[in-house]
Amino acid sequence: MNNLNLRHLHYFWVISRLGSVVAAADHLELTPQTLSGQLASLEAQLGGALFHRANRALQLTDFGHTVFSYADEMFKTAQALSDLVIKPAEGRPLRLAVGICASIHKLIAYRLLKPALELPRTVKLRCQTGDLSQLLKCLHQRSLNVILSDRPPADKDAPQVRCYALGRSSMSLFAVPELAQRLASDFPQSLNHQPFLATALDAPYITELKNWFASRNIAVNVVAEVDDSALIKVFGHQGVGYFAAPTVICDEVCRQYRVAHIAIINEVQDTLFAITRDHGSHDAAVQAIIEGPMAIVKSIENSDV
């Protein structure tokens, strides 16, 4: 340990995680030249090359992979300890950085975040949307505290994170009042060949909904594919077609977008998850998100929509 420069080892760990000297230098607030020099010193100290270049990208050597496995365990444990001992003092604002999968309905996201915003302590909230793989990278880099997702992480990511099931809602169909009234009659056969607004995102409930349509021999007439759940509702408000949204936010969808409820599809479910790092304890804001949605689950089960 007396001969091992832990600071240089930490620099190597950050470079390995971010994939380039430039990205690591920006993260560490150093110049790329300085960081390259520190990396060269570490390689000389350890007696072996840690990286080799392939198509202008850095790739770990076999020796580098071995060193990284030790460094990764060391610095994750050190960060968990740091998280424990530097918890904010009472009264100091909690900083909450949340990743939200783009396929999650934004009204649902707000309801999931609301318990954290209602804590007695001030919460400084920052939200970032994106696909799950992108958000998981940010979570591992500690730029996010928690991810709200409509699917659990893949098996390859599971050992590095914790996943909490927050709640589940059936899906409902909506349209402008005139179209909704027409589609509610002789449902679901009334949907045949009618204009449907579909999400372009790979949301799990979409696969279930397509299967539900197919099982009832309903020909789906997709008039628009949109990768933003709020924009779909705007198109719905303009009468372009009918759309699907979680039953639990039925009242808000109808009120905010001036549409009417057509029907509930209990066979199609939207399940929501909170994903956190697997190291360290949660602060009060993250814990409020994990524990708060039980009220949402109850409102789903008791919904009289």
Side-chain angles (χ1 to χ4, degrees), residues 5-17:
N5 190 315
L6 293 181
R7 183 175 297 277
H8 290 176
L9 184 64
H10 179 256
Y11 292 164
F12 157 73
W13 179 68
V14 174
I15 294 170
S16 302
R17 285 163 60 89

Side-chain angles (χ1 to χ4, degrees), residues 31 34 55 72 101 152 186 190 202 240 248:
T31 66
T34 298
N55 296 326
D72 193 47
C101 286
D186 194 30
S190 58
D202 185 25
V240 178
V248 70

Side-chain angles (χ1 to χ4, degrees), residues 42-95:
L42 179 64
E43 290 179 322
Q45 185 181 28
L46 296 177
L50 298 171
F51 294 102
H52 63 80
R53 290 195 173 274
N55 296 326
R56 297 184 178 181
L58 286 180
Q59 292 187 356
L60 287 167
T61 62
D62 290 341
F63 180 55
H65 277 291
T66 301
V67 174
F68 177 79
S69 65
Y70 284 98
D72 193 47
E73 185 174 352
M74 287 172 55
F75 291 117
K76 282 182 177 177
T77 302
Q79 186 62 58
L81 175 61
S82 177
D83 291 344
L84 179 66
V85 300
I86 64 170
K87 284 185 176 179
E90 289 297 327
R92 186 181 303 172
L94 288 168
R95 297 192 177 276

Side-chain angles (χ1 to χ4, degrees), residues 128-261:
Q128 174 181 335
T129 60
D131 61 52
L132 183 56
S133 59
Q134 170 195 356
L135 296 176
L136 282 169
K137 290 179 181 179
C138 295
L139 184 71
H140 294 317
Q141 293 168 9
R142 299 188 171 271
S143 59
L144 294 177
N145 302 112
V146 63
I147 297 171
L148 301 181
S149 174
D150 55 6
R151 71 206 73 188
D155 291 341
K156 64 182 179 64
D157 297 309
Q160 305 170 22
V161 299
R162 295 180 190 176
C163 186
Y164 303 85
L166 300 181
R168 173 180 294 183
S169 173
S170 61
M171 297 299 292
S172 282
L173 300 180
F174 302 84
V176 291
E178 181 181 353
L179 178 58
Q181 184 177 8
R182 179 156 50 88
L183 296 181
S185 175
D186 194 30
F187 180 86
Q189 283 68 32
S190 58
L191 301 176
N192 205 32
H193 296 293
Q194 294 301 307
F196 178 61
L197 300 169
T199 175
L201 298 167
D202 185 25
Y205 76 82
I206 285 295
T207 300
E208 293 184 30
L209 190 59
K210 289 179 179 177
N211 292 337
W212 185 86
F213 284 137
S215 69
R216 285 154 179 80
N217 296 317
I218 295 171
V220 182
N221 176 21
V222 177
V223 294
E225 293 186 32
V226 186
D227 65 357
D228 185 285
S229 63
L231 187 56
I232 286 179
K233 297 178 184 66
V234 172
F235 280 122
H237 166 67
Q238 296 298 326
V240 178
Y242 71 96
F243 61 92
T247 304
V248 70
I249 55 172
C250 177
D251 290 345
E252 293 97 322
V253 170
C254 291
R255 181 173 58 253
Q256 183 170 337
Y257 295 96
R258 299 179 182 177
V259 293
H261 180 251

